[in-house]
Amino acid sequence: MFGLGKRRSKFGKFLDRYGITQQELSDASGVNRNSISRVAQSDDNQPSMKNAAKIVKALKKAGYEVNYDDFWSM
């Protein structure tokens, strides 16, 4: 039964590990929830630098020590 469920990127796994919902992050960062969902699904999807900066800033404000490089490669 392994492998069942949704595909997740490093970013998506981070959200799951800490119980952060996409809607909470969307409200805190100002990034559309669909954009957050897209980048949480696959490592092939990367946000624009503007949206990535908003996401990282919101996570840092919430007390998480994260950087762009933790989730996405340049």
Side-chain angles (χ1 to χ4, degrees), residues 23-46:
Q23 188 62 49
E24 289 172 348
L25 186 56
S26 175
D27 293 341
S29 66
V31 176
N32 188 314
R33 190 191 59 77
N34 292 332
S35 296
I36 294 172
S37 177
R38 182 177 44 82
V39 298
Q41 287 179 357
S42 171
D43 284 324
D44 296 333
N45 296 319
Q46 292 187 352

